Amino acid sequence: MSVSEMRDTLVAELDGVERLIDSIGQDADVPLLGQLLRHVLQAKGKRLRPRLAFMAARFGGFPIERLTLLGAAVELLHTASLVHDDLVDDAETRRGVAALHRIASPKAAVLVGDYLFAKSAALATATGSLDVMALFARTLMSICDGELREMSNANDDDRSLDQYYRRIEGKTASLFVAATEGGAILSGIGSVGEQAFREYGLNLGMAFQIADDILDFVGTPEVLGKPVGGDLRQGTLTLPAIWALEQLGDGVLRRAVDSKNPSNELLDEAIRFVGSSAAIPFAQREAEEFARRARYALAPLPEGPDRQALEDLATYAVRRRY
Amino acid sequence: MSVSEMRDTLVAELDGVERLIDSIGQDADVPLLGQLLRHVLQAKGKRLRPRLAFMAARFGGFPIERLTLLGAAVELLHTASLVHDDLVDDAETRRGVAALHRIASPKAAVLVGDYLFAKSAALATATGSLDVMALFARTLMSICDGELREMSNANDDDRSLDQYYRRIEGKTASLFVAATEGGAILSGIGSVGEQAFREYGLNLGMAFQIADDILDFVGTPEVLGKPVGGDLRQGTLTLPAIWALEQLGDGVLRRAVDSKNPSNELLDEAIRFVGSSAAIPFAQREAEEFARRARYALAPLPEGPDRQALEDLATYAVRRRY
């Protein structure tokens, strides 16, 4: 199934999520908050997480209103974490020029992120499911855990693959789990199905993030919408760079990573080095292994087009080409 | 009942909350996080909010484990909001000297605050009560609403008493409600009792915050642990200053408030002006009116030492002298 085909399904359901999210920017009765929320929420993204919640729920009952609440809750949790993540990354970006103009309103980012966490908690609660609430709380803790690991590890010695996997599990995969397991819980398919969707979401999220981290090295600025190698420029080491550092000895990458204030030329060279090295096919194989595990996790579910769509999504997640 | 007498009751219960909160600093498996959490959690405060939860629960069943979870959840929510509030206030403090050294680690404050929100959500969920979860989500939204109003209104024209009351309801009173109504919910006293404790917590919180805002003008640096008039120095107008601006015409306070960069001398003079003006007895009467409403809200509850203790707490909250 291609991206465009996927986008043709679940239109009405995702419209409902969209309307619920839009209403949050309209409801705010502090004018400044409304303005900031609408700004943040206008970048709509692919709504992959709400889509996953609906896809998971197709195997049981399909309580559309509660699933809409869940989809919006997961999407807002994602948005909140991005707002705080951007703030945190900018605060650390001492190499770049942009840091100064971000200092102008860190407070707004803190409070808008908090508000989105709160709204997300309120929506998760409105599903009326204690299990969804518990899942929500675990997800929020996982996200924080992932972000804190990233903060601890940036420019640090602890650059193992293990640490990387724990970081992206917290930052990315946990939100996929919230969507898929949450959808399974609300659809009432029972504990075997919930477990299947927990493992599916976890492995899909890992595959998805690794594919993203590969693209950061091999994409073009036009399609990425930002400079190539953005993570390395910010001092964050992702899978390709970690593997290259470990396996490819002391070259330009080591010099760029060890330098307190690397030049743009050095960074450009290091990014090109990683992007054309064996680190990329290694990372691609890792992503494909997670995608395989995601498909495998679906084994307990009945075969058919709904399961096939989920399997296709995992396959597609690691084969994105822009 | 005096402060020292109050501190002699509920010792075992509050010890349980203390142990639970302490364990959070120990559990963190990201070393930096543990260090930062222990730093934040070492300032223990009066634990007034957990105490209120236990006091409320005395009118029904007293499920000690769930109340301990609630007490710790409310306290951590309070701590999280303080962490982000401090960050936000410092980011705005362009007048003071301290702003620069705070810019060094805004990211840690963002993430540790987020982690505490997450942990608090997890503890609230662990009570197993959907009503407590819904209350928790509402509280988090109220806190954000209050903080956002404060950000919108600092150095702004919207300096009405009404805005002030909405701000402190969100920032302070909502957490008192979470404690008292949450305690009532878990003790199973039913909707009339829950409503009584919602109103008690709300009015007690308002009284408490007004008393705090009075002390900020009439206390001494030694007992406050910070300079007198800290709010005004940060550009935040509280009840005494708002009333003085409205009622006492255009003097030194107006000059200090309207100045983009007031001198310390001007601020000192404005603070002394407010602290010795009729604004203080006005604010005191407002605080006493909220305390009266808090006591009145308890009318549906059976009389006896437990109700008396809550009434005394309201009376004491507005008569603090340091």
Side-chain angles (χ1 to χ4, degrees):
Chain A
M1 181 184 284
S2 73
V3 194
S4 55
E5 283 169 331
M6 280 207 308
R7 288 194 179 150
D8 288 335
T9 61
L10 292 168
V11 172
E13 291 84 350
L14 289 167
D15 267 1
V17 172
E18 218 58 63
R19 280 196 302 276
L20 185 52
I21 292 175
D22 281 345
S23 72
I24 285 155
Q26 309 305 326
D27 284 354
D29 73 343
V30 185
L32 176 65
L33 172 62
Q35 196 182 320
L36 296 171
L37 284 174
R38 285 190 295 275
H39 176 78
V40 168
L41 298 173
Q42 71 185 350
K44 295 190 185 296
K46 296 185 289 292
R47 304 299 193 215
L48 179 56
R49 293 157 195 80
R51 179 184 296 278
L52 282 166
F54 287 119
M55 289 172 82
R58 280 195 167 145
F59 292 82
F62 198 85
I64 179 79
E65 284 177 26
R66 297 167 79 205
L67 289 166
T68 305
L69 291 164
L70 170 70
V74 174
E75 196 67 14
L76 289 186
L77 194 53
H78 177 51
T79 308
S81 76
L82 292 180
V83 167
H84 279 184
D85 219 28
D86 286 351
L87 174 68
V88 164
D89 286 346
D90 246 325
E92 201 201 6
T93 303
R94 295 193 181 100
R95 295 162 175 171
V97 191
L100 267 179
H101 87 262
R102 294 304 278 272
I103 286 169
S105 63
K107 59 191 289 187
V110 172
L111 295 181
V112 169
D114 287 356
Y115 186 86
L116 288 169
F117 278 133
K119 198 78 201 180
S120 170
L123 292 170
T125 304
T127 66
S129 161
L130 264 174
D131 287 340
V132 165
M133 275 312 309
L135 177 61
F136 173 90
R138 281 201 304 277
T139 306
L140 186 49
M141 292 196 55
S142 294
I143 294 171
C144 291
D145 185 86
E147 286 176 345
L148 283 155
R149 280 178 199 281
E150 189 161 309
M151 182 177 84
S152 299
N153 293 349
N155 300 314
D156 194 310
D157 282 335
D158 198 356
R159 293 162 178 163
S160 64
L161 276 186
D162 178 56
Q163 281 294 328
Y164 167 79
Y165 284 133
R166 294 177 72 167
R167 249 165 50 205
I168 69 172
E169 180 178 335
K171 268 185 49 177
T172 303
S174 67
L175 277 158
F176 281 66
V177 174
T180 55
E181 188 180 349
I185 290 169
L186 291 181
S187 73
I189 59 173
S191 62
V192 172
E194 288 171 16
Q195 169 74 15
F197 273 111
R198 185 158 52 243
E199 285 175 23
Y200 173 78
L202 178 67
N203 286 292
L204 178 67
M206 301 295 283
F208 185 86
Q209 185 60 56
I210 295 170
D212 238 28
D213 291 342
I214 293 172
L215 274 173
D216 192 45
F217 281 101
V218 303
T220 62
E222 291 72 34
V223 292
L224 290 175
K226 55 184 182 180
V228 178
D231 289 326
L232 195 62
R233 291 177 203 278
Q234 280 181 339
T236 302
L237 295 180
T238 59
L239 179 49
I242 291 169
W243 188 86
L245 265 184
E246 255 179 33
Q247 302 293 324
L248 302 177
D250 294 337
V252 60
L253 178 61
R254 168 67 62 194
R255 287 208 309 282
V257 167
D258 286 352
S259 166
K260 282 202 195 308
N261 192 15
S263 67
N264 280 333
E265 290 70 28
L266 180 57
L267 282 168
D268 288 343
E269 206 188 325
I271 291 158
R272 276 195 303 273
F273 169 75
V274 175
S276 58
S277 76
I280 299 302
F282 172 79
Q284 186 65 37
R285 283 193 301 278
E286 290 285 286
E288 277 166 12
E289 171 61 17
F290 280 110
R292 192 194 62 73
R293 287 185 210 164
R295 289 190 298 269
Y296 182 77
L298 299 173
L301 300 173
E303 288 187 50
D306 291 336
R307 187 173 128 186
Q308 189 61 48
L310 289 160
E311 289 176 4
D312 290 348
L313 185 61
T315 304
Y316 152 73
V318 295
R319 290 188 193 158
R320 284 177 292 165
R321 289 289 176 271
Y322 292 78
Chain B
M1 183 185 279
S2 74
V3 194
S4 55
E5 281 170 332
M6 278 207 307
R7 289 197 177 144
D8 288 335
T9 62
L10 293 167
V11 172
E13 290 85 349
L14 289 167
D15 266 2
V17 173
E18 216 58 63
R19 280 196 303 276
L20 185 52
I21 291 175
D22 281 345
S23 72
I24 286 155
Q26 309 303 324
D27 284 354
D29 73 344
V30 186
L32 176 65
L33 172 61
Q35 197 181 318
L36 295 172
L37 284 174
R38 286 190 294 277
H39 176 78
V40 167
L41 297 173
Q42 70 185 348
K44 294 190 188 294
K46 295 184 290 292
R47 303 299 192 215
L48 180 56
R49 292 156 195 80
R51 179 185 296 278
L52 282 167
F54 288 119
M55 288 172 82
R58 280 192 167 149
F59 292 82
F62 198 85
I64 179 81
E65 285 177 25
R66 298 168 78 206
L67 289 166
T68 304
L69 291 164
L70 170 70
V74 174
E75 196 68 13
L76 290 187
L77 194 53
H78 177 52
T79 308
S81 75
L82 291 180
V83 168
H84 280 184
D85 217 28
D86 286 351
L87 174 67
V88 165
D89 285 345
D90 248 325
E92 202 204 4
T93 302
R94 294 190 182 106
R95 293 161 177 173
V97 190
L100 267 177
H101 89 262
R102 294 301 279 273
I103 284 166
S105 62
K107 60 192 288 188
V110 171
L111 296 180
V112 168
D114 288 355
Y115 186 87
L116 288 169
F117 278 133
K119 199 78 201 182
S120 171
L123 292 169
T125 304
T127 66
S129 161
L130 264 175
D131 287 339
V132 164
M133 275 314 307
L135 176 62
F136 173 89
R138 280 200 304 277
T139 305
L140 186 47
M141 293 197 53
S142 295
I143 294 171
C144 291
D145 185 85
E147 285 175 347
L148 283 155
R149 281 176 198 282
E150 188 160 309
M151 183 178 85
S152 300
N153 292 349
N155 299 317
D156 193 311
D157 281 336
D158 198 358
R159 291 160 179 163
S160 65
L161 276 186
D162 178 56
Q163 281 293 330
Y164 167 79
Y165 283 132
R166 293 177 74 166
R167 249 164 52 205
I168 69 172
E169 180 177 335
K171 270 185 50 177
T172 305
S174 66
L175 278 158
F176 280 65
V177 173
T180 56
E181 188 180 349
I185 290 169
L186 292 180
S187 73
I189 58 171
S191 62
V192 171
E194 288 172 15
Q195 169 73 14
F197 272 112
R198 185 156 54 241
E199 285 176 22
Y200 173 78
L202 178 67
N203 286 291
L204 179 67
M206 301 295 282
F208 186 86
Q209 186 59 55
I210 296 169
D212 240 29
D213 292 340
I214 293 173
L215 275 172
D216 192 45
F217 282 100
V218 303
T220 63
E222 292 72 33
V223 291
L224 291 175
K226 55 184 181 181
V228 179
D231 289 325
L232 196 62
R233 290 177 205 279
Q234 280 181 343
T236 301
L237 295 180
T238 59
L239 179 49
I242 291 169
W243 189 87
L245 266 183
E246 257 179 31
Q247 302 293 323
L248 302 178
D250 294 338
V252 60
L253 178 61
R254 169 66 61 191
R255 287 207 309 282
V257 168
D258 286 350
S259 168
K260 282 202 193 311
N261 191 16
S263 66
N264 280 333
E265 291 70 29
L266 180 58
L267 282 168
D268 288 343
E269 206 188 327
I271 291 158
R272 275 195 304 273
F273 169 73
V274 175
S276 59
S277 75
I280 299 303
F282 172 79
Q284 186 65 36
R285 282 192 303 276
E286 290 285 287
E288 277 166 14
E289 171 60 16
F290 280 110
R292 191 193 62 74
R293 289 185 208 163
R295 289 190 298 270
Y296 181 76
L298 299 173
L301 301 172
E303 287 187 52
D306 291 335
R307 186 172 130 186
Q308 188 62 47
L310 288 160
E311 291 177 1
D312 289 350
L313 185 60
T315 305
Y316 151 74
V318 294
R319 292 191 192 155
R320 286 176 292 165
R321 290 287 177 274
Y322 291 78

